[in-house]
Amino acid sequence: MLACLCAVLWHLPAVPAHNRTGDPGPGPSIQKTYDLTRYLEHQLRSLAGTYLNYLGPPFNEPDFNPPRLGAETLPRATVNLEVWRSLNDRLRLTQNYEAYSHLLCYLRGLNRQAATAELRRSLAHFCTSLQGLLGSIAGVMAALGYPLPQPLPGTEPTWTPGPAHSDFLQKMDDFWLLKELQTWLWRSAKDFNRLKKKMQPPAAAVTLHLEAHGF
Amino acid sequence: MAAPVPWACCAVLAAAAAVVYAQRHSPQETPHVQYERLGSDVTLPCGTANWDAAVTWRVNGTDLAPDLLNGSQLVLRGLELGHSGLYACFHRDSWHLRHQVLLNVGLPPREPVLSCRSNTYPKGFYCSWHLPTPTYIPNTFNVTVLHGSKIMVCEKDPALKNRCHIRYMHLFSTVKYKVSISVSNALGHNATAITFDEFTIVKPDPPENVVARPVPSNPRRLEVTWQTPSTWPDPESFPLKFFLRYRPLILDQWQHVELSDGTAHTITDAYAGKEYIIQVAAKDNEIGTWSDWSVAAHATPWTEEPRHLTTEAQAPETTASTTSSLAPPPTTKICDPGELGSGGGPSAPFFISVLVTLALAAAAGSLLI
């Protein structure tokens, strides 16, 4: 049962919106966020490989295909195709921000339990990068004038020492965490691609092109 | 009154006798279909005839030697594909047809080969299958698709009988897809299954309409343009990156360029006067694998000497390729002058007249960094 103390994350200092003249707009920071998701996805591949080997079989077997049970509190990347397509920018960014906030929190929990020093190092490094991604998303949201999502009172995730469950179930939770993280990074790349296209630096011909497609 | 009754009686009796006679002496209307395994032995009885009945066997109208007979039964050893045919046995004296067997020699199916691919991400994917070795007899296939515990419909392809299509309902799923196929025929049965993640099977079709043109007054340049594959449904949200390879026909070594954006590229290091072969491949920016190579385009860079044979052959070629490139590909980005070495607007039409070419060259020169 994944539960997490995440209060600290919800109070990330809000990046002030810059109102400089000649501001290139959110375009460059969307590009930077996109690049970060690619970097993280690359980093995760080796981290997940190492961690799954540490968990041992069947978790590190390529055909391992368990039913999705438990790990209900994990933010799920999966979404209906039409719903995903029609997300507005604010919702798209908010979903990404909230997802990574939770995932970072769980990863930190993973780090606390990790057995080897090497694993702890890799996880810590990854957590730092993930924090960077969160900051980058926050920056994009601020530049676009969207408020950072704040947790509703009462829904703030806190540590609840749940009933002790088996080693195997804990490993299953770890497996799904890594899987969900990987899938979110793929999804974010697509999300930021979509945002990037809509925020192209205004060139007259390109703007017309976008308008013709009903963006 | 007494007269018609006995006549009617006789008629009925005669008809009944005829029916009984027909049933006992003529074979079933359609031959019995039988499947036997290649290499095996089979004994074909002559219908309901006694073992010691005098019969003759024929296959596809040709008499069979009596040494194949065991009484009235036909014995075939070590069946080969050539043994397939219509076997008939006849009463030896009356040549009355007693029994027919349509023999099909074949094999039980080996494990089928199944693969799935998404060339239309995010719309869906398709699976196709085949048998590694033929069975020589009809087979039926049954495909089931599971996403976690949910059964998905695989719609048969209208044209290809070994392919079916699945539509994605959800994207970015962490649950794998499992596709199972079973194949069966009269001699046996086999099955296989594959499991995969949504992202791993993404492989676009190759880029289309790859066109390579010489650049006037530039003996070392070739301009290449292409289009995103028409099967890729949403290049805006799911952009493709491209891989270009080129070499002169006379060399074996390819040059490679990876392009993260745009559907045009100018080769600037072509050997003067040599004919080049150029191909392009595509891949989703983040997931999946590279497409197959596109159909090859051929071009020779512009050369100067008017007496040179290749130039004369080239001039009409230039015209032809120029006119065919007047319609810009729909997804070509307007070239950003900040991008590497692409010159000015590679997808813009080239005009044959010298004046306009010069004007364009001047404009291109001013755009180059």
Side-chain angles (χ1 to χ4, degrees):
Chain A
M1 203 167 302
L2 286 167
C4 206
L5 173 64
C6 291
V8 62
L9 279 174
W10 295 101
H11 300 298
L12 271 178
V15 177
H18 296 284
N19 286 322
R20 296 186 300 249
T21 52
D23 195 333
S29 45
I30 292 180
Q31 179 63 48
K32 197 185 81 163
T33 315
Y34 170 83
D35 292 339
L36 267 172
T37 66
R38 304 298 297 129
Y39 170 66
L40 276 162
E41 195 252 312
H42 180 79
Q43 225 188 320
L44 180 60
R45 258 184 266 161
S46 53
L47 173 62
T50 312
Y51 197 85
L52 290 174
N53 277 330
Y54 159 70
L55 292 181
F59 302 99
N60 58 351
E61 284 160 15
D63 283 347
F64 186 45
N65 185 22
R68 179 72 181 255
L69 297 169
E72 267 111 21
T73 50
L74 272 182
R76 295 189 185 213
T78 189
V79 61
N80 178 280
L81 175 53
E82 288 313 315
V83 168
W84 180 81
R85 243 196 255 273
S86 57
L87 283 174
N88 64 48
D89 295 349
R90 176 178 168 163
L91 206 48
R92 202 178 284 279
L93 286 161
T94 305
Q95 288 186 358
N96 272 270
Y97 187 86
E98 286 178 339
Y100 289 117
S101 303
H102 281 93
L103 289 168
L104 179 55
C105 195
Y106 291 128
L107 263 181
R108 286 186 170 144
L110 208 69
N111 199 3
R112 281 192 286 275
Q113 301 154 26
T116 72
E118 188 211 326
L119 264 178
R120 277 198 294 276
R121 234 189 341 264
S122 304
L123 279 166
H125 181 205
F126 190 85
C127 283
T128 310
S129 306
L130 193 51
Q131 177 115 48
L133 176 62
L134 265 175
S136 196
I137 300 174
V140 173
M141 293 184 78
L144 291 170
Y146 303 136
L148 275 186
Q150 295 297 317
L152 297 168
T155 62
E156 188 170 298
T158 51
W159 174 257
T160 46
H165 60 281
S166 79
D167 196 38
F168 182 81
L169 285 179
Q170 179 61 61
K171 289 181 178 179
M172 276 302 302
D173 283 347
D174 295 350
F175 172 84
W176 283 119
L177 172 59
L178 292 171
K179 198 91 197 267
E180 209 50 78
L181 191 46
Q182 180 179 61
T183 312
W184 262 108
L185 287 168
W186 274 323
R187 172 173 160 176
S188 295
K190 301 301 185 197
D191 280 322
F192 284 98
N193 257 329
R194 216 168 155 81
L195 286 164
K196 215 184 345 174
K197 293 283 182 208
K198 294 167 85 172
M199 312 275 170
Q200 291 285 9
V206 179
T207 311
L208 282 171
H209 177 78
L210 289 172
E211 284 169 3
H213 281 70
F215 278 128
Chain B
M1 186 137 110
V5 173
W7 275 114
C9 234
C10 282
V12 167
L13 275 172
V19 167
V20 169
Y21 181 86
Q23 276 181 344
R24 283 198 40 202
H25 291 275
S26 63
Q28 60 272 38
E29 278 156 9
T30 51
H32 169 69
V33 179
Q34 195 165 332
Y35 293 94
E36 294 296 335
R37 197 176 169 140
L38 194 63
S40 66
D41 302 337
V42 69
T43 301
L44 299 176
C46 181
T48 55
N50 293 329
W51 183 86
D52 57 357
V55 298
T56 311
W57 280 91
R58 276 184 173 175
V59 58
N60 298 333
T62 311
D63 284 350
L64 284 168
D67 60 346
L68 293 170
L69 293 179
N70 174 9
S72 64
Q73 297 173 328
L74 181 65
V75 179
L76 299 169
R77 297 194 188 284
L79 284 174
E80 295 166 8
L81 292 176
H83 282 113
S84 297
L86 182 64
Y87 290 80
C89 76
F90 299 85
H91 192 270
R92 186 175 299 156
D93 301 324
S94 66
W95 281 103
H96 183 78
L97 178 62
R98 298 211 53 166
H99 186 63
Q100 286 187 88
V101 176
L102 186 60
L103 183 67
N104 296 281
V105 179
L107 289 165
R110 301 254 304 262
E111 185 176 311
V113 176
L114 175 65
S115 65
C116 298
R117 174 180 162 219
S118 175
N119 62 340
T120 56
Y121 193 75
K123 267 212 319 232
F125 63 96
Y126 69 84
C127 294
S128 51
W129 54 89
H130 66 271
L131 289 172
T133 51
T135 60
Y136 309 104
I137 57 178
N139 308 297
T140 47
F141 294 90
N142 190 12
V143 177
T144 48
V145 180
L146 276 178
H147 183 209
S149 55
K150 188 163 164 249
I151 297 177
M152 298 185 77
V153 173
C154 196
E155 289 164 18
K156 289 199 188 306
D157 188 286
L160 299 159
K161 65 179 175 67
N162 65 337
R163 182 178 291 199
C164 66
H165 300 263
I166 298 101
R167 228 168 332 159
Y168 281 128
M169 292 283 115
H170 286 79
L171 285 189
F172 315 118
S173 176
T174 46
V175 175
K176 291 189 175 180
Y177 290 83
K178 179 170 178 180
V179 181
S180 319
I181 184 170
S182 69
V183 55
S184 57
N185 65 22
L187 297 175
H189 170 274
N190 215 321
T192 191
I194 55 172
T195 315
F196 51 84
D197 277 312
E198 178 185 318
F199 306 108
T200 52
I201 59 165
V202 176
K203 177 179 172 179
D205 285 329
E208 293 171 4
N209 203 18
V210 180
V211 174
R213 296 177 300 222
V215 180
S217 310
N218 281 284
R220 302 207 61 194
R221 290 190 173 211
L222 284 170
E223 198 183 290
V224 191
T225 57
W226 59 91
Q227 293 167 347
T228 57
S230 52
T231 46
W232 194 251
D234 193 355
E236 291 288 320
S237 297
F238 296 85
L240 294 171
K241 61 181 176 181
F242 300 98
F243 207 73
L244 192 131
R245 71 175 186 181
Y246 58 96
R247 65 173 170 87
L249 284 180
I250 54 173
L251 293 179
D252 288 330
Q253 191 86 358
W254 292 96
Q255 299 275 81
H256 295 104
V257 182
E258 183 166 328
L259 302 155
S260 59
D261 216 350
T263 53
H265 176 73
T266 303
I267 297 165
T268 54
D269 61 349
Y271 291 115
K274 300 285 179 267
E275 184 180 348
Y276 270 77
I277 177 169
I278 298 129
Q279 288 178 299
V280 192
K283 180 183 174 302
D284 177 274
N285 254 336
E286 295 94 29
I287 60 180
T289 54
W290 287 99
S291 72
D292 293 338
W293 289 107
S294 68
V295 170
H298 291 254
T300 309
W302 176 93
T303 50
E304 207 179 323
E305 304 101 285
R307 285 165 296 152
H308 201 286
L309 272 171
T310 52
T311 308
E312 282 177 71
Q314 237 181 303
E317 189 185 281
T318 309
T319 313
S321 59
T322 305
T323 50
S324 70
S325 69
L326 281 174
T331 55
T332 302
K333 257 185 67 177
I334 300 206
C335 195
D336 182 348
E339 285 172 348
L340 302 168
S342 326
S347 66
F350 279 86
F351 299 96
I352 303 169
S353 80
V354 173
L355 275 173
V356 185
T357 311
L358 284 175
L360 267 181
S366 70
L367 281 172
L368 282 170
I369 291 173

